[in-house]
Amino acid sequence: MKKRNGKIIFSEYTPGSGLKKAFELSRQDILFELKTSQLRGRGGAGFPIATKWMLTAAAKSDEKYLICNADEGEPGTFKDRVLLNEYPELVFEGMVTGGYVIGAKTGILYLRGEYSYLLSQLNDFLEGMRKQNLLGKNILGKGFDFDIHIFLGQGAYVCGEETALIESLEGHRGEARNRPPFPVTTGLFGKPTVVNNVETLATVPHILLKGGEWYARFGTEKSKGTKLVSISGDCENPGVYEVEWGITIRELLELAGAKNLKAVQVGGASGICIDESQFGRKLAYEDLATGGSIIIFNKERNMLDALENFMEFFVEESCGQCTPCRIGNVKLLEAVRQMKDGGIPESGMKKYFDLAETMKLASKCGLGQSSPNPFVSIVKNFREEIFHKTV
Amino acid sequence: MEFEDKNRAPVSQKLHTVARPENPDEIGGLITVQINEKKLSVPMGTTILEACKQAGIHIPTLCHHEDLCIAGVCRVCVVEVEGMKTLQASCAFPITSPVKIKTTSPKVRLARKTVLDLLISEHYGECYSCVRNNNCELQTLAKEYGVDGYPYGHVTEPKYEVDDSTPAIVRDMNKCVNCLRCVRTCIDLQEVGVLGALYRGDKTKIGTFMDSPLNEVVCIYCGQCIDRCPTGALHANDPRDEIWNAIDDPTKHVIIQTAPSPRAAIGEEFGLPAGTSLTGEMNTALRKIGFDRVFDTNFAADLTIMEEGTELLYRLYKKLALGDDSVMLPQFTSCCPGWVKYVEHFYPELENNLSSAKSPQQMFGAVLKTFYAQLAGIDPKDIVTVAVMPCSAKKFECNRPEMNDSGFKDIDYGLTTRELAQMIKEAGIYLPEMPKSEFDDPFGDASGAGLIFGATGGVMEAALRTVLEMVTNEKIENIFENANITPVRGFEGIRYAEIPITKVGKPPELIAKLIPDFEWLKGVTLKVAVAHGTANAKKIVENIKAGGKFSECHFIEIMACPGGCLGGGGQPIPTNEEIRKKRAEAIYAEEQTLNVRKCHENPKIIKIYSEFLTEGPLSEKSHKLLHTHYVNRGKVMLN
């Protein structure tokens, strides 16, 4: 049926089987399998799912929430769209399982505004699950109630940050909260809340069916299992691939059929840009961590053009509440534009690296903490091209 | 008393409330933190900023304000917490487990300096032409961190038009640092909710609904935002130039009246500690500046109590004795123009609960341009009336079109405490060294009851002293020790008191025409309440609308500003709970020294009712000059 191939997520799966398995297990057993699997959050931060679920399960509250973060906004990332479009059963069964483990009755799919075309088919799919008693009251006769609502985002990149997402759900401006407290204790409407990435949740049914130990056999020492990567840019075969953690950039590029290369941006706009000399590096939390975006640049590309594009994006998408991000991104963009005109010598870069460091250290949320990444990595890795152009 | 939490601040701007153990000695109650080299124990949930304060370690802040919920957005107060990759905002970080903190590491110093450079790069204007010069938190920080240039540039053209659409508050967003203090003041402290962040990213600005000018939104002009703005982005609409012109014009007779709160706070503008009263010094300085007469608003406060107190008794009489159900109770005080506007916008259906009595400021204006003009033999058109108020809304009040019952504008200019201090400085006067002098006659006497109008609960206490004496014919000192009605004093947001009327006497002659006897009041328990800050006012009004306890009250005093007038939007900056308490102490201490402490015993009040308002309170004449009506403004303002 499905045209994709992969070792885990893109492998054969019978809808409903993961959820049925979940209800055969106790909550503790599920947490044990997840802990054994060493599955980490696939949104980018890599927080262990077992710990997150355990903390929320342990939090005392009359109400808890499980949110699936489908606000897939990182430029160059489109793997969640594929999952929701082609494997919704994995995502939703993962959500029900999470709700069961943490003791939530309400699940929310926070769907990226630009994915509104998926809304009706996803709602239809949920309706189907309700009919099969995989969702709603007394799921599979196990006495557990859980339902899923879909909330459409309104186009702000920052709402992919979990606390900004929660603010947005509550009807406020999409702005990150101070952390601590973390959502696991004080989340949506102040209640304990799990926010998981689409891919993380989609992995859960497979782990339950085949076991945490089986899952942990894939990948590297600190990065278990597989990762969906969205490959785009200058290549023959762009698309979504399921790869084992530990794959090198060079191997990825071969998969994608990329030639005559200059650079690869790993992790989307907020990721880092590497040159050819680093193509031997591995995709892994311990080396090149990524939420899944791989953007390929060939030798025809001007890296400052690419950087300008990234920085324009961050200037546009900063929520504007904290100083380093609101003003810092503007200053970095101005610097890029000056560099394009040859207006800044390499020796004049210190204050911009200081600024980038400040943004990483002092921004309130992940947006401002990571937006200097492309600036620093491109300016450092392509300094010859930028500062010593031979016309 | 339980109220539903209708707090409007988003969770993002609230401090994480960790249950602080009642007894810090219990296990886990105290947590050891190491700040730099210093170890100390703090209660669970203490913020890093609080812990540093306790340890005597200075942390610079900008978006933090003691009165407000947390934002954690300026990133000036960041510190290094061991084990965390990024720096943490100390104002927003609750300590829940043992931590090691560094407050001056290289990372911290780099981040703070860079954040300041960024803020300054976007901050338009020059310090010397700024109303907040020498009292600006951004300026102070720049000095503290040795900012000596503009490494990230400096904005040279204003980006935004200045909004001076109201007579009360001027907003200049070119100086805004997006600290959200005004937003948090408006939405959370005051629960008015006029201000918010608009747009996003570098286009983020603080604005109103649809970015309308302030006069087209439901702003009540309380000016609490001004008090909390760290820079010159918000200030009051300053009439100093017009006042100087009037003073310099020999054909004008320029009168200034001074409210009770400015005198208890103006010393702060001259470097004195909060709570230093400079009443006599101020009188001398005002004469030196060139004001022709210096009058005490407290006289008008006494007059207000005569009118408003009589109105209360008359309402009670009509309702309780005559069974007139059209009479609205509880009666609300009406001397606070912010509160009046709040009712007009948000609860116009309760407008008739507001006392029709004008505020002291406006009553005085009407008296000055009629009674005083006659006495002094001056054409009222040549009289210029200035009111020194702790308030920005007073500037709006004196410009209300209905406030011209004398045939002239009752009060020409409202001046804040800050602006008066500026005028005194311009005149080359160092206020604390002025000799003391008295107020001018014919309004030279005022009661202590008028003075305590400046503190929350003061109007209520003043009214009760007069009303209870009128009703019982008993000295108030026999009911409350030393005439101090302590149940209505204090800083608790909402206070409630019951006073049983066990004995009644004959109505005084002044009001006997209106109310023939008080027998109907015997056995009644007078129920009164006091609230300060519109967030508390809202709780009371909602309770009344729901038929709760406060709907049974007879009289409720409400002041829009936290602490009452002494914490008003025209008072010296900074303000916080401690400063407000000091100012209140100064007012109450001064009151104890006065001979006359009841409005109706003020000889000048007795005189005005025997010579001018001869028909007594609520007479036709007093209704014409001293009472007013209100406008149904509603929440939607379409122009």
Side-chain angles (χ1 to χ4, degrees):
Chain A
M1 292 276 286
K2 311 261 178 180
K3 59 184 191 297
R4 295 178 190 275
N5 273 310
K7 287 175 181 163
I8 296 168
I9 296 176
F10 290 161
S11 67
E12 285 300 313
Y13 181 75
T14 312
S17 59
L19 197 51
K20 285 181 184 118
K21 176 77 180 179
F23 283 113
E24 287 166 18
L25 300 170
S26 67
R27 294 181 166 88
Q28 297 88 309
D29 287 343
I30 295 173
L31 285 172
F32 181 82
E33 292 303 329
L34 290 174
K35 175 105 186 154
T36 312
S37 76
Q38 299 179 49
L39 174 61
R40 294 166 69 170
R42 296 297 192 234
F47 193 80
I49 184 175
T51 313
K52 195 182 262 189
W53 285 15
M54 206 137 51
L55 288 169
T56 316
K60 287 200 176 70
S61 175
D62 49 348
E63 190 112 42
K64 295 179 187 179
Y65 299 98
L66 184 129
I67 297 170
C68 173
N69 183 349
D71 191 40
E72 185 176 42
E74 189 64 49
T77 317
F78 38 92
K79 47 131 188 138
D80 294 343
R81 185 181 69 197
V82 165
L83 284 173
L84 290 166
N85 200 11
E86 300 172 24
Y87 299 84
E89 65 276 8
L90 289 177
V91 181
F92 291 136
E93 288 176 36
M95 286 179 74
V96 178
T97 307
Y100 170 64
V101 171
I102 66 169
K105 291 191 182 66
T106 308
I108 295 165
L109 179 78
Y110 189 97
L111 186 64
R112 182 184 183 192
E114 290 85 339
Y115 292 174
S116 59
Y117 66 95
L118 291 173
L119 188 60
S120 69
Q121 81 186 56
L122 289 171
N123 273 323
D124 290 348
F125 191 87
L126 289 174
E127 200 46 46
M129 283 178 74
R130 286 185 197 106
K131 286 200 178 110
Q132 293 170 60
N133 194 218
L134 296 170
L135 197 65
K137 296 272 176 211
N138 192 18
I139 295 172
L140 294 173
K142 302 289 182 183
F144 172 65
D145 301 342
F146 186 82
D147 212 337
I148 294 174
H149 309 273
I150 303 180
F151 185 96
L152 208 54
Q154 297 297 316
Y157 168 74
V158 72
C159 289
E161 197 279 341
E162 60 178 6
T163 60
L165 183 154
I166 289 171
E167 285 281 302
S168 153
L169 277 177
E170 289 184 4
H172 298 300
R173 278 171 70 88
E175 291 181 343
R177 295 177 175 177
N178 291 302
R179 294 147 37 113
F182 296 95
V184 288
T185 59
T186 312
L188 183 61
F189 300 114
K191 306 291 183 189
T193 302
V194 158
V195 184
N196 283 140
N197 179 259
V198 175
E199 184 185 345
T200 320
L201 289 164
T203 311
V204 170
H206 284 292
I207 292 177
L208 296 189
L209 284 173
K210 301 188 183 115
E213 249 177 64
W214 164 82
Y215 185 83
R217 275 186 235 136
F218 300 92
T220 70
E221 195 195 336
K222 286 183 179 159
S223 314
K224 299 300 185 189
T226 58
K227 177 82 193 90
L228 300 188
V229 289
S230 322
I231 301 183
S232 62
D234 299 320
C235 62
E236 299 286 321
N237 314 307
V240 175
Y241 296 82
E242 182 175 12
V243 297
E244 226 176 300
W245 282 108
I247 189 173
T248 62
I249 298 298
R250 193 165 285 118
E251 286 166 326
L252 264 183
L253 294 172
E254 273 165 31
L255 269 179
K259 292 184 195 77
N260 188 30
L261 296 183
K262 182 193 271 183
V264 175
Q265 176 81 12
V266 183
S270 66
I272 64 163
C273 195
I274 56 173
D275 64 358
E276 214 176 342
S277 70
Q278 301 178 62
F279 286 177
R281 289 176 69 180
K282 289 176 174 156
L283 276 198
Y285 292 107
E286 55 267 43
D287 188 0
L288 285 170
T290 173
S293 164
I294 302 287
I295 305 171
I296 302 169
F297 298 93
N298 68 20
K299 290 207 159 61
E300 311 299 312
R301 304 288 169 180
N302 179 318
M303 293 319 289
L304 280 181
D305 285 346
L307 180 54
E308 183 181 15
N309 185 294
F310 287 143
M311 294 321 296
E312 280 171 354
F313 174 79
F314 289 123
V315 167
E316 174 80 22
E317 292 296 343
S318 164
C319 81
Q321 66 165 329
C322 80
T323 311
C325 181
R326 179 182 68 244
I327 309 178
N329 281 309
V330 177
K331 300 299 169 191
L332 291 185
L333 174 61
E334 283 171 7
V336 175
R337 287 181 177 157
Q338 282 180 48
M339 283 151 76
K340 281 178 75 175
D341 296 339
I344 309 179
E346 196 172 2
S347 57
M349 289 309 295
K350 183 183 176 298
K351 69 177 180 183
Y352 293 108
F353 290 136
D354 280 353
L355 172 57
E357 183 66 11
T358 297
M359 291 167 70
K360 286 183 187 185
L361 284 170
S363 291
K364 187 168 176 178
C365 81
L367 199 168
Q369 287 162 11
S370 59
S371 67
N373 284 339
F375 183 93
V376 173
S377 57
I378 287 178
V379 173
K380 286 196 169 152
N381 289 333
F382 300 91
R383 49 181 291 274
E384 282 296 323
E385 173 185 332
I386 293 170
F387 298 108
H388 309 280
K389 275 179 223 160
T390 44
V391 182
Chain B
M1 195 169 311
E2 288 291 316
F3 286 107
E4 197 190 334
D5 180 22
K6 286 194 175 160
N7 229 323
R8 291 172 52 174
V11 179
S12 60
Q13 291 169 9
K14 280 187 188 163
L15 181 62
H16 177 33
T17 41
V18 175
R20 298 193 182 193
E22 280 176 21
N23 174 13
D25 291 337
E26 68 187 72
I27 296 170
L30 283 178
I31 293 173
T32 302
V33 289
Q34 183 174 334
I35 307 172
N36 303 333
E37 304 309 317
K38 195 162 182 168
K39 268 194 183 169
L40 68 156
S41 291
V42 296
M44 172 102 168
T46 305
T47 63
I48 292 179
L49 184 64
E50 290 166 336
C52 289
K53 200 172 176 189
Q54 206 179 309
I57 292 166
H58 171 69
I59 301 285
T61 56
L62 186 61
C63 72
H64 179 263
H65 192 286
E66 294 96 322
D67 287 340
L68 302 176
C69 57
I70 297 298
V73 294
C74 74
R75 317 308 284 178
V76 168
C77 73
V78 287
V79 295
E80 205 173 327
V81 176
E82 196 177 87
M84 301 192 82
K85 272 193 289 188
T86 57
L87 301 177
Q88 303 298 315
S90 60
C91 67
F93 193 103
I95 297 168
T96 54
S97 58
V99 279
K100 277 190 187 170
I101 296 156
K102 288 183 191 157
T103 68
T104 54
S105 69
K107 281 181 185 172
V108 170
R109 290 201 311 273
L110 168 72
R112 282 186 193 159
K113 171 74 165 47
T114 310
V115 163
L116 279 173
D117 284 336
L118 290 176
L119 284 171
I120 288 165
S121 76
E122 299 274 288
H123 181 76
Y124 173 74
E126 303 287 354
C127 288
Y128 50 75
S129 61
C130 180
V131 61
R132 292 292 295 276
N133 190 13
N134 273 334
N135 187 17
C136 167
E137 293 181 39
L138 187 63
Q139 193 184 40
T140 306
L141 286 172
K143 188 158 187 234
E144 200 174 311
Y145 282 84
V147 170
D148 56 359
Y150 301 127
Y152 303 106
H154 190 231
V155 58
T156 52
E157 293 293 327
K159 269 204 274 187
Y160 308 107
E161 218 174 295
V162 174
D163 178 3
D164 58 357
S165 61
T166 82
I169 298 170
V170 179
R171 299 178 65 245
D172 179 0
M173 289 305 100
N174 297 300
K175 291 177 178 169
C176 175
V177 291
N178 284 10
C179 67
L180 300 175
R181 279 198 199 171
C182 58
V183 174
R184 285 174 284 149
T185 302
C186 201
I187 205 167
D188 194 54
L189 185 76
Q190 291 291 70
E191 292 196 31
V192 175
V194 163
L195 298 174
L198 309 178
Y199 312 107
R200 69 176 187 196
D202 63 324
K203 294 181 184 65
T204 306
K205 68 175 273 203
I206 308 306
T208 59
F209 177 67
M210 300 292 283
D211 216 359
S212 314
L214 214 50
N215 68 340
E216 291 177 20
V217 294
V218 294
C219 176
I220 63 167
Y221 305 147
C222 68
Q224 287 299 305
C225 53
I226 300 176
D227 285 355
R228 287 167 188 79
C229 180
T231 71
L234 295 171
H235 60 90
N237 206 337
D238 191 340
R240 271 182 300 135
D241 288 347
E242 287 99 318
I243 295 171
W244 281 123
N245 288 342
I247 288 174
D248 294 340
D249 184 343
T251 66
K252 297 293 180 197
H253 184 73
V254 188
I255 299 173
I256 191 160
Q257 54 161 315
T258 77
S261 291
R263 64 191 71 161
I266 195 166
E268 295 163 35
E269 291 283 341
F270 293 86
L272 301 188
T276 318
S277 245
L278 294 178
T279 315
E281 292 85 344
M282 210 165 83
N283 289 343
T284 312
L286 291 171
R287 287 191 190 94
K288 275 196 187 285
I289 284 177
F291 286 101
D292 296 300
R293 289 289 180 276
V294 182
F295 291 142
D296 191 349
T297 306
N298 299 356
F299 160 78
D302 290 342
L303 191 58
T304 301
I305 289 299
M306 296 304 291
E307 294 293 331
E308 192 171 356
T310 306
E311 182 187 352
L312 173 65
L313 289 172
Y314 192 52
R315 281 192 197 216
L316 291 174
Y317 172 64
K318 284 209 287 190
K319 185 124 185 177
L320 301 180
L322 306 181
D324 181 350
D325 279 336
S326 69
V327 173
M328 302 297 280
L329 285 174
Q331 176 177 307
F332 294 144
T333 57
S334 59
C335 25
C336 170
W339 158 239
V340 166
K341 196 161 185 272
Y342 182 80
V343 173
E344 290 176 326
H345 281 304
F346 294 95
Y347 300 100
E349 68 275 20
L350 296 180
E351 258 169 35
N352 290 331
N353 290 65
L354 283 169
S355 162
S356 65
K358 284 182 185 173
S359 68
Q361 163 178 295
Q362 294 305 127
M363 280 198 185
F364 215 155
V367 167
L368 289 174
K369 292 196 178 174
T370 54
F371 181 53
Y372 172 78
Q374 275 172 34
L375 279 181
I378 301 170
D379 188 340
K381 80 171 168 45
D382 292 328
I383 296 180
V384 175
T385 48
V386 180
V388 179
M389 293 286 146
C391 185
S392 47
K394 286 282 174 195
K395 293 169 185 280
F396 164 78
E397 185 186 31
C398 74
N399 282 299
R400 289 177 71 120
E402 65 273 20
M403 292 292 181
N404 58 358
D405 295 316
S406 57
F408 302 90
K409 210 175 155 200
D410 290 344
I411 291 294
D412 293 295
Y413 304 108
L415 192 67
T416 64
T417 312
R418 297 187 295 268
E419 290 153 358
L420 176 63
Q422 184 58 41
M423 287 185 77
I424 293 174
K425 287 175 190 169
E426 284 168 38
I429 294 168
Y430 180 61
L431 185 63
E433 287 179 354
M434 281 287 106
K436 295 184 187 195
S437 63
E438 297 300 318
F439 288 99
D440 285 319
D441 268 334
F443 309 111
D445 296 308
S447 79
L451 179 65
I452 59 174
F453 263 54
T456 167
V459 177
M460 178 60 68
E461 182 164 352
L464 287 176
R465 286 181 190 170
T466 290
V467 164
L468 289 176
E469 286 205 356
M470 281 183 173
V471 168
T472 60
N473 297 166
E474 183 91 31
K475 283 273 157 208
I476 193 77
E477 288 81 351
N478 298 339
I479 310 175
F480 292 97
E481 196 187 332
N482 208 15
N484 294 335
I485 308 181
T486 48
V488 298
R489 291 190 184 180
F491 278 95
E492 211 180 312
I494 294 173
R495 305 188 292 286
Y496 173 84
E498 295 186 353
I499 300 157
I501 309 290
T502 50
K503 149 184 187 215
V504 297
K506 266 178 60 181
E509 206 181 319
L510 206 54
I511 63 167
K513 262 189 282 176
L514 288 172
I515 306 164
D517 68 80
F518 282 127
E519 287 309 313
W520 48 274
L521 203 50
K522 201 168 175 181
V524 171
T525 297
L526 203 58
K527 295 175 179 173
V528 300
V530 174
H532 57 122
T534 40
N536 291 315
K538 185 177 166 188
K539 286 175 187 158
I540 286 205
V541 177
E542 289 294 335
N543 181 281
I544 289 172
K545 288 181 68 178
K549 164 182 179 175
F550 292 103
S551 64
E552 289 168 19
C553 277
H554 300 109
F555 191 35
I556 299 181
E557 177 207 297
I558 293 182
M559 296 294 157
C561 292
C565 304
L566 53 85
Q571 289 283 67
I573 300 169
T575 178
N576 57 38
E577 202 179 340
E578 197 189 325
I579 291 172
R580 291 191 291 273
K581 276 193 175 143
K582 290 266 166 54
R583 291 175 189 161
E585 282 164 18
I587 287 177
Y588 282 112
E590 187 166 338
E591 205 252 333
Q592 293 293 335
T593 68
L594 298 177
N595 297 326
V596 179
R597 295 180 60 218
K598 294 163 217 166
C599 306
H600 57 285
E601 289 180 355
N602 176 355
K604 297 298 183 317
I605 288 292
I606 296 168
K607 185 176 149 88
I608 197 172
Y609 279 108
S610 64
E611 291 177 11
F612 184 63
L613 302 164
T614 48
E615 297 297 305
L618 296 193
S619 66
E620 201 189 324
K621 194 171 192 179
S622 76
H623 259 297
K624 180 176 183 307
L625 291 177
L626 308 182
H627 290 256
T628 185
H629 59 274
Y630 304 106
V631 183
N632 180 346
R633 294 179 197 274
K635 288 184 208 168
V636 182
M637 299 180 69
L638 297 173
N639 283 3

